[in-house]
Amino acid sequence: MRSILRAGTLVIFLGIAVTLGCHSADTTNNNSAVCQTAVDDITSPAAGVATLHGSFFSDETVIIQESDGTEISHGTPDTDRNAFSFTGIPSGTHSYHIIISCNSGRDDLGSFTFNVT
């Protein structure tokens, strides 16, 4: 009987440990909808300018970064909008990660490949 109780206690303890271990302080999520911002497309209307199209909110920051985490640019729109432009983006075809930072955490929207004139 004691071995059954020990086994049951061990199972409960492991279940709690696994549950706590799965909960992380790192709130970066892939497509988790923690933040509201969405990017549908990226265009380049002028040299060094990347315009992101989608849904952008005045309480969320958009971060454009290399896959290694090197930040290329970031900004927070003054008002909610459906396009948001960044200047100083190097010319050429790039694959950058779009990260959204909001009160609930951070979302990695994934890698976007686009050409900057």
Side-chain angles (χ1 to χ4, degrees):
M1 183 68 155
R2 281 189 179 177
S3 63
I4 292 173
L5 288 175
R6 279 190 202 153
T9 302
L10 182 59
V11 168
I12 290 170
F13 176 75
L14 289 175
I16 291 170
V18 168
T19 301
L20 292 175
C22 290
H23 179 71
S24 171
D26 179 7
T27 55
T28 300
N29 297 295
N30 292 322
N31 301 318
S32 67
V34 170
C35 303
Q36 298 178 63
T37 294
V39 177
D40 301 323
D41 189 33
I42 302 173
T43 59
S44 180
V49 177
T51 299
L52 284 63
H53 304 273
S55 303
F56 304 93
F57 300 91
S58 62
D59 60 347
E60 297 186 353
T61 299
V62 178
I63 304 162
I64 300 174
Q65 70 181 28
E66 298 276 1
S67 60
D68 68 0
T70 302
E71 186 175 302
I72 302 303
S73 188
H74 75 275
T76 305
D78 294 334
T79 60
D80 295 355
R81 58 185 70 191
N82 54 14
F84 191 36
S85 294
F86 294 84
T87 59
I89 307 297
S91 294
T93 300
H94 305 280
S95 288
Y96 291 132
H97 276 262
I98 306 295
I99 309 295
I100 309 302
S101 178
C102 62
N103 288 336
S104 299
R106 291 170 61 100
D107 277 340
D108 182 342
L109 300 184
S111 180
F112 289 77
T113 301
F114 56 95
N115 185 49
V116 177
T117 55

